[in-house]
Amino acid sequence: MKITKDLYQGSLALLTDFYQLTMAYAYWKAGKGEQEAVFNLFFRKHPFQGGFTVAAGLEYVVDYCRNFHFEKKDIEYLAGMKSPDGSPQFEKGFLDYLENLHFSCDIDAVEEGTLVFPNAPILRVKGPLIQCQLLETPLLNILNFQTLIATKAARITLAAKGEPVLEFGLRRAQGIDGALAASRAAYIGGCTSTSNVMAGKLFGIPVSGTHAHSWIMSFESELEAFEAYAEAFPDQCVFLVDTYDTIQGIKNAIKVGEILRSKGKEMIGIRIDSGDLAYFSNQAREMLDAAGFPDAKIVASNDLDEYIIASLKSQEASINVWGVGTKLVTAFDQPALGAVYKLAAVKDEKGFWQPKIKVSQQSLKINIPGIHNVKRYYSQGKAVADMIFLEDQEINPRGTVIIDPLDPTRRKRIMPAFYQGEDLLKPIFSKGKVIYSCPPIQQIRQRTKDQLAAFDKTHKRLVNPHIYPVGLEENLHHLRMDLVLKAKRFEDEKE
């Protein structure tokens, strides 16, 4: 499935920030364009003040990088750019370089549906400096949003405690691109279906939907509207009962349900979209059961999110299915994940990799240097801890310590010989060629479910979750501290 090709019919190389191109030009001018480099993409805090994050968007990344090139019309556009003095912004030699550029990077990434944690790389790019730099903005654009929405969906489905969650946020989503990506990510996060028909076509997501208040209002009476809908869809009847009076709406749904049953069909249920959802759902349950419809589902909607669903659950509302739109597809309470893309190493003239550090007054913004991976340790199928480690150094099987990158006093002893370990970064591209087969979206969704099951319930609390241990392997911690101190001494000497 070529996602972006289906949507855009061409190159997306110019989907970047202008400063990526100016840096690429400066690299080229300095003769550094082909210097090998490694960049890591990671985030610093869980969204929604939660205890986990669900990785999503890799299939978009694969499609983008597979098709990465500058078309003639892109070069023509860049050639028309002017500097403040009126001269061309970019030399012809650089534009020729871009036109002849062939993607040749290695990419390793966490598979979609994997639970991920702050400071650990979700994706790593290794290759020519110019290519690595030009990928920064589009990769962040893709992974920031889909990871955010998949995480929100996972939180909502956890709050629903196994009951179906229908995503129908298309009309409230952030444009066409946002709507499609949100529907995909919401399904990965655990939603059972989408109202977005194009997303269903492109990604193979089940689609669902009933009718709106306008359907009811177009008839002389609510009962007539229900009867007409039952005539059109006798096997798919979920009646929206709150257009005028919710209790009367439930009564009318029961009447039409009895007509359907006389014809050998069965009403699926009702939907309530306003008012006191706990009260009306319980009233509906009593009425439906008394009328002989104990299997009829009660669908609730109306600006739901994980907190409202959890509240309704605590009130023992008789709701079987949850319809969630705006607050899911817009990530209403946190509009951005805030993932970043940082240089971690460059290869010197002698062919040796040199780790790179960004030092900041905020410890949160000091990156992790070197070429590293993430190993997740399991005990009896349950996740125990994640270790960020240097790939070129062996891990002591008899034991090592992982050290929190923000608080060195937070440490955990790991005994690799007693745990099952899994490297989370998987090879996706090798020298520009795809070597990874993106799984079907149903398989990705199942991975999210399996991953959530592997973590303790305390890490999945909606409020004040327990912190899952993620830390730097001892050698990486010492390398990082040495580089920080060296950088600070250098700055002190300059003063």
Side-chain angles (χ1 to χ4, degrees):
M1 182 185 301
K2 295 186 180 297
I3 300 166
T4 52
K5 185 175 180 182
D6 285 342
L7 296 178
Y8 300 106
Q9 300 293 321
S11 167
L12 288 176
L14 294 187
L15 183 66
T16 191
D17 292 306
F18 183 57
Y19 86 133
Q20 306 290 7
L21 286 164
T22 57
M23 280 192 289
Y25 178 55
Y27 286 141
W28 178 81
K29 289 277 286 184
K32 294 172 62 69
E34 295 299 306
Q35 183 179 9
E36 291 285 298
V38 172
F39 284 76
N40 290 318
L41 189 152
F42 60 95
F43 63 96
R44 296 180 174 125
K45 292 181 180 179
H46 285 302
F48 317 113
Q49 300 181 3
F52 67 89
T53 299
V54 179
L58 180 58
E59 189 171 359
Y60 269 55
V61 169
V62 170
D63 192 74
Y64 179 90
C65 293
R66 183 195 285 124
N67 295 310
F68 182 74
H69 67 283
F70 287 86
E71 295 182 347
K72 191 170 290 293
K73 60 185 179 182
D74 299 331
I75 301 301
E76 290 172 354
Y77 172 75
L78 295 175
M81 288 185 167
K82 302 295 183 184
S83 295
D85 64 0
S87 63
Q89 180 74 59
F90 304 112
E91 293 179 28
K92 184 178 185 303
F94 174 65
L95 298 178
D96 291 341
Y97 174 88
L98 292 183
E99 189 168 12
N100 293 305
L101 185 151
H102 296 285
F103 182 64
S104 60
C105 293
D106 296 343
I107 294 181
D108 298 86
V110 170
E111 293 186 283
E112 294 188 271
T114 302
L115 265 60
V116 289
F117 296 87
N119 301 302
I122 302 174
L123 178 143
R124 181 180 70 200
V125 182
K126 181 193 295 183
L129 190 50
I130 282 180
Q131 292 187 37
C132 293
Q133 192 70 66
L134 290 174
L135 290 179
E136 176 178 6
T137 298
L139 296 189
L140 286 171
N141 176 272
I142 292 167
L143 294 176
N144 262 320
F145 182 67
Q146 292 200 42
T147 298
L148 183 72
I149 301 302
T151 305
K152 186 68 170 176
R155 289 168 58 83
I156 289 170
T157 54
L158 284 171
K161 296 184 176 180
E163 292 171 341
V165 175
L166 318 178
E167 176 272 307
F168 49 59
L170 173 58
R171 65 187 62 192
R172 305 284 173 75
Q174 317 291 25
I176 296 171
D177 302 339
L180 289 168
S183 292
R184 180 182 186 276
Y187 186 69
I188 288 172
C191 292
T192 54
S193 64
T194 180
S195 67
N196 187 337
V197 181
M198 182 173 281
K201 174 191 172 186
L202 288 174
F203 310 124
I205 303 172
V207 296
S208 63
T210 55
H211 61 76
H213 293 108
S214 57
W215 169 263
I216 308 295
M217 294 161 63
S218 70
F219 289 84
E220 287 298 315
S221 70
E222 184 178 65
L223 183 60
E224 183 183 352
F226 286 174
E227 288 172 338
Y229 196 80
E231 186 68 28
F233 299 102
D235 297 305
Q236 304 173 51
C237 284
V238 176
F239 299 113
L240 180 59
V241 297
D242 69 324
T243 304
Y244 303 118
D245 178 271
T246 302
I247 298 300
Q248 183 58 49
I250 298 167
K251 292 178 180 178
N252 287 334
I254 290 170
K255 288 180 184 178
V256 179
E258 291 170 344
I259 294 171
L260 278 168
R261 184 171 284 174
S262 70
K263 297 178 180 180
K265 303 293 183 180
E266 198 68 22
M267 173 177 64
I268 293 176
I270 64 167
R271 177 162 74 97
I272 305 171
D273 188 50
S274 63
D276 188 328
L277 296 179
Y279 171 79
F280 283 121
S281 67
N282 289 336
Q283 290 292 304
R285 185 75 276 155
E286 289 182 14
M287 294 168 67
L288 289 165
D289 290 353
F293 294 94
D295 296 327
K297 305 295 183 185
I298 298 175
V299 183
S301 51
N302 190 22
D303 279 343
L304 300 179
D305 63 11
E306 64 266 46
Y307 304 107
I308 295 174
I309 292 173
S311 174
L312 288 166
K313 283 283 188 184
S314 70
Q315 297 172 61
E316 300 183 343
S318 300
I319 297 168
N320 311 109
V321 182
W322 306 86
V324 186
T326 305
K327 291 186 177 180
L328 169 56
V329 301
T330 65
F332 191 80
D333 44 341
Q334 182 170 332
L337 175 62
V340 294
Y341 183 86
K342 298 299 180 183
L343 179 67
V346 295
K347 187 176 285 187
D348 63 22
E349 294 178 353
K350 296 180 180 179
F352 294 104
W353 284 103
Q354 300 297 327
K356 292 293 181 179
I357 191 85
K358 174 189 179 294
V359 179
S360 171
Q361 298 301 315
Q362 296 175 263
S363 58
L364 183 69
K365 291 194 171 185
I366 299 175
N367 74 301
I368 300 172
I371 304 175
H372 50 270
N373 203 327
V374 186
K375 189 178 290 290
R376 178 160 298 161
Y377 288 104
Y378 295 91
S379 176
Q380 298 180 339
K382 293 295 182 180
V384 175
D386 285 10
M387 178 174 67
I388 307 170
F389 66 98
L390 291 166
E391 285 195 334
D392 63 352
Q393 297 191 10
E394 290 187 8
I395 299 168
N396 188 344
R398 291 176 295 181
T400 186
V401 173
I402 61 171
I403 302 165
D404 189 297
L406 299 183
D407 181 1
T409 66
R410 291 177 60 89
R411 300 177 175 218
K412 183 178 179 67
R413 185 79 178 170
I414 297 292
M415 305 292 288
F418 295 94
Y419 299 134
Q420 298 81 46
E422 175 194 11
D423 288 353
L424 297 188
L425 291 180
K426 311 294 186 184
I428 309 298
F429 282 84
S430 177
K431 300 187 187 306
K433 303 296 182 184
V434 182
I435 57 174
Y436 175 79
S437 179
C438 294
I441 196 168
Q442 290 78 13
Q443 187 174 324
I444 299 171
R445 182 175 179 272
Q446 183 61 45
R447 179 173 178 81
T448 303
K449 185 176 181 181
D450 294 343
Q451 286 272 299
L452 286 167
F455 284 79
D456 190 80
K457 62 182 179 181
T458 58
H459 304 308
K460 297 178 285 190
R461 289 195 297 245
L462 298 181
V463 179
N464 296 325
H466 188 63
I467 298 173
Y468 175 75
V470 178
L472 308 180
E473 192 271 336
E474 287 179 282
N475 291 321
L476 178 54
H477 168 74
H478 293 315
L479 169 67
R480 186 177 186 236
M481 292 305 300
D482 288 346
L483 290 173
V484 168
L485 294 173
K486 182 179 178 181
K488 287 186 177 293
R489 282 196 299 270
F490 178 72
E491 289 302 316
D492 291 342
E493 289 170 1
K494 285 201 306 183
E495 293 178 3

